[in-house]
């Protein structure tokens, strides 16, 4: 495995309270992780001036932002039954992203191609407020860990943060073209990856900033590890970097044969952060040890391996890994592919356990907490629930007249919220049959 580092960065990087940019120098040193268990007090000391006071959400809003079923006036090739309970219809173009507030799971934020983002209530679709001011498609949106803040980001790189209870904008920043955005799991700290290869980290709302210098190609996906001290970032050139967020240096860099042979599309971690799963347009999913930085498993769908007649370059165009994730109760991982294949892999034996076929490409997958049920949404506009133990389809939910582009699952798995190319977001009440 080759590696890169910024010499002296680990020793000289100021604490988070006095964050500063790194220069353009290349990072080449690999720093070994401390093998001892992380001290939960470390993050608290780094963020000692962060206010974690919880705020109550406003229940006021504009009743114009919702439509109860059945919905009329929508026609398309996917016309049919609508299983949703609520439709949010204020967007005037494709709705790209959705996130639920983690504290109560009663609010959603959606962003779309209409340069709009809205915060609204799941129970009745009532609009709470618009996240105004974007001038490009809003592709990223999410609530902070305590649901007091909501962030939205558009393709041009304009990021904005609002206080949920007051509905007032409290911070904004213009970065490069935005690739991904994510809140820190335990602090009001926002991370984002941009097309210039950098990963940014801000403390909100005071704006203290640190950057992590990547290769000169887009930082296509990223995820903060559960310990809150590291983040894994994937790049268009196939490299994977695991960053120390406090020191500002990469502790592991995977490139060449260790990395991917195409742009990364997605990344996930297991519950304790010991394992990382990365996906790419090269159709491979790689299992990486977060401690050693070594690849400990490689998964590839059998359907791709059995297509010998594809011409050069056709394979990556016809298929890719679109989404992946870990089961919380069994040693299983799910990988969703653009060709519609849902592959369930056994991590202990690193073998394919089940292969579930969809009629069209998988866009996103999510595991239900505490069970072996995996949810998928796909380009045919359907949400499906699969039993990963048997590979059996449990049920599906329909209602969109175009492809589903993103979805979110409530913590108690009672609601699924979807966004679609039909300009709608929908709330489905997920039935819980005896599984």
């Amino acid at each position: 495995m080759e590696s890169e580092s910024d010499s002296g960065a680990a020793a000289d990087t100021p604490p988070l309270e006095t964050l500063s940019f790194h220069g353009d120098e290349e990072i080449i040193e690999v720093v070994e992780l401390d093998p001892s268990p992380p001290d939960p007090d470390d993050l608290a000391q780094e963020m000692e001036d962060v206010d974690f006071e919880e705020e109550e959400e406003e229940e006021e809003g504009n009743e114009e932002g919702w439509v109860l079923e059945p919905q009329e006036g929508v026609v398309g090739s996917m016309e049919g039954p609508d299983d949703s309970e609520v439709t949010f219809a204020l967007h005037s173009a494709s709705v790209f992203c959705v996130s639920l507030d983690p504290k109560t799971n009663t609010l959603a934020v959606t962003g779309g191609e209409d340069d709009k983002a809205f915060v609204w209530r799941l129970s009745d679709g009532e609009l709470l407020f618009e996240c105004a001011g974007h001038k490009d498609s809003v592709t990223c949106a999410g609530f902070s860990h305590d649901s007091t803040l909501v962030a939205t980001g558009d393709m041009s790189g304009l990021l904005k943060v609002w206080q949920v209870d007051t509905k007032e904008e409290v911070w904004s920043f213009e970065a490069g073209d935005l690739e991904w955005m994510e809140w820190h799991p335990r602090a009001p700290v926002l991370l984002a990856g941009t097309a210039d290869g950098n990963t940014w980290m801000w403390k909100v709302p005071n704006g203290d900033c640190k950057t992590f210098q990547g290769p000169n190609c887009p930082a296509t996906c990223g995820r903060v590890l559960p310990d809150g001290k590291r983040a894994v970032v994937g790049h268009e050139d196939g490299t994977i970097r695991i960053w120390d967020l406090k020191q500002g240096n990469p502790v592991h860099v995977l490139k060449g044969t260790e990395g991917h042979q195409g742009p990364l599309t997605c990344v996930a971690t297991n519950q304790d952060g010991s394992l990382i799963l990365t996906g790419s347009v090269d159709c491979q999913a790689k299992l990486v040890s977060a401690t050693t930085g070594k690849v400990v498993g490689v998964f590839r769908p059998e359907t791709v391996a059995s297509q010998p007649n594809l011409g050069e370059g056709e394979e990556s165009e016809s298929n890719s890994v679109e989404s992946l994730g870990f089961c919380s109760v069994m040693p299983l991982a799910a990988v969703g592919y653009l060709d519609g294949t849902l592959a369930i892999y056994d991590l202990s034996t690193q073998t394919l356990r089940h292969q579930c076929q969809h009629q069209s490409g998988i866009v996103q997958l999510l595991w239900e907490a505490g069970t072996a049920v995996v949810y998928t949404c796909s380009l045919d506009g359907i949400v499906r629930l699969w039993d990963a133990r048997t590979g059996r389809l449990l049920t599906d939910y329909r209602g969109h007249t175009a492809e589903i582009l993103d979805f979110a699952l409530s913590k108690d798995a009672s609601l699924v919220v979807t966004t679609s190319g039909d300009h709608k977001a929908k709330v489905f009440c997920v039935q819980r049959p005896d599984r």
Side-chain angles (χ1 to χ4, degrees):
M1 182 179 73
E2 300 176 34
S3 56
E4 306 177 318
S5 127
D6 183 341
S7 72
D12 301 332
T13 303
L16 190 57
E17 288 80 1
T18 55
L19 297 175
S20 59
F21 285 89
H22 282 278
D24 295 331
E25 60 266 24
E26 183 70 5
I27 298 173
I28 57 172
E29 182 183 0
V30 172
V31 181
E32 293 298 325
L33 285 172
D34 183 353
S36 61
D39 183 356
D41 292 330
D42 289 353
L43 186 67
Q45 292 172 359
E46 298 165 26
M47 304 287 184
E48 60 186 6
D49 60 334
V50 173
D51 184 8
F52 289 93
E53 181 177 307
E54 296 177 351
E55 301 285 345
E56 294 184 1
E57 289 112 350
E58 288 279 310
E59 295 296 327
E60 302 172 3
N62 183 342
E63 68 277 9
E64 299 294 336
W66 58 279
V67 177
L68 290 178
E69 303 312 320
Q71 180 182 324
E72 299 178 353
V74 178
V75 293
S77 59
M78 301 178 195
E79 189 78 39
D82 192 342
D83 302 319
S84 65
E85 300 295 320
V86 173
T87 296
F88 182 78
L90 277 186
H91 286 281
S92 59
S94 294
V95 191
F96 289 139
C97 57
V98 61
S99 180
L100 306 186
D101 83 281
K103 182 182 172 185
T104 68
N105 274 202
T106 60
L107 304 178
V109 57
T110 51
E113 191 179 14
D114 54 3
D115 308 346
K116 303 282 189 182
F118 300 104
V119 175
W120 49 280
R121 197 161 53 207
L122 296 179
S123 60
D124 55 9
E126 184 176 356
L127 175 69
L128 296 188
F129 62 94
E130 178 182 347
C131 304
H134 286 288
K135 299 179 180 179
D136 204 342
S137 298
V138 178
T139 54
C140 299
F143 291 89
S144 61
H145 72 289
D146 57 3
S147 299
T148 61
L149 302 171
V150 63
T152 54
D154 66 35
M155 289 183 66
S156 73
L158 176 60
L159 296 103
K160 288 176 172 288
V161 174
W162 280 261
Q163 188 85 28
V164 174
D165 61 343
T166 65
K167 309 173 186 176
E168 294 179 353
E169 182 180 325
V170 295
W171 179 85
S172 66
F173 189 90
E174 290 195 52
D177 292 350
L178 187 65
E179 297 284 333
W180 60 271
M181 180 191 79
E182 183 179 76
W183 282 100
H184 190 279
R186 292 194 298 281
V189 171
L190 189 65
L191 289 89
T194 50
D196 58 9
N198 289 334
T199 298
W200 303 68
M201 183 171 71
W202 302 273
K203 189 160 63 174
V204 179
N206 70 15
D208 287 349
C209 182
K210 180 182 284 188
T211 57
F212 307 92
Q213 185 78 39
N216 190 27
C217 67
T220 51
C221 57
R223 179 64 55 90
V224 182
L225 269 61
D227 65 7
K229 298 179 180 181
R230 295 168 294 164
V232 55
V233 179
H235 291 269
E236 190 176 72
D237 64 357
T239 61
I240 305 161
R241 283 167 169 76
I242 301 174
W243 291 92
D244 182 312
L245 296 179
K246 182 179 180 181
Q247 301 296 334
N249 60 282
V251 290
H252 298 293
V253 178
L254 290 79
K255 59 193 304 186
T257 56
E258 290 286 310
H260 284 276
Q261 303 310 302
L264 273 83
T265 55
C266 48
V267 62
T269 69
N270 63 348
Q271 276 191 312
D272 65 8
S274 60
L275 292 173
I276 296 167
L277 202 55
T278 61
S280 165
V281 300
D282 66 6
C283 296
Q284 293 186 352
K286 294 203 170 189
L287 188 65
V288 178
S289 166
T291 303
T292 65
K294 299 293 185 183
V295 175
V296 295
V298 180
F299 305 112
R300 185 180 179 88
E302 293 181 354
T303 51
V304 175
S306 62
Q307 292 177 342
N309 297 324
L310 286 176
E312 182 178 355
E314 285 186 42
E315 181 176 295
S316 62
E317 293 177 7
S318 63
N319 200 14
S320 65
V321 175
E322 295 297 308
S323 185
L324 35 70
F326 292 89
C327 177
S328 63
V329 295
M330 295 178 69
L332 301 175
V335 181
Y337 297 88
L338 185 60
D339 72 352
T341 301
L342 171 66
I344 308 294
Y345 295 102
D346 189 315
L347 296 178
S348 14
T349 61
Q350 297 196 9
T351 56
L352 179 67
R353 182 162 177 162
H354 299 292
Q355 192 160 285
C356 313
Q357 203 61 40
H358 294 63
Q359 296 176 356
S360 57
I362 295 172
V363 176
Q364 176 73 282
L365 68 83
L366 293 170
W367 285 92
E368 181 177 302
T371 75
V373 175
V374 61
Y375 294 61
T376 59
C377 66
S378 53
L379 296 174
D380 59 10
I382 302 173
V383 175
R384 293 177 174 87
L385 280 64
W386 303 86
D387 186 338
R389 298 166 299 182
T390 64
R392 183 172 66 91
L393 176 66
L394 294 173
T395 186
D396 60 36
Y397 295 90
R398 301 164 187 255
H400 284 291
T401 57
E403 68 277 9
I404 296 178
L405 299 175
D406 194 15
F407 80 129
L409 176 64
S410 63
K411 285 184 291 188
D412 64 359
S414 63
L415 297 175
V416 172
V417 186
T418 56
T419 64
S420 170
D422 64 10
H423 309 178
K424 304 293 191 293
K426 286 180 175 288
V427 181
F428 296 87
C429 181
V430 182
Q431 302 301 314
R432 298 293 299 268
D434 182 12
R435 296 171 184 167

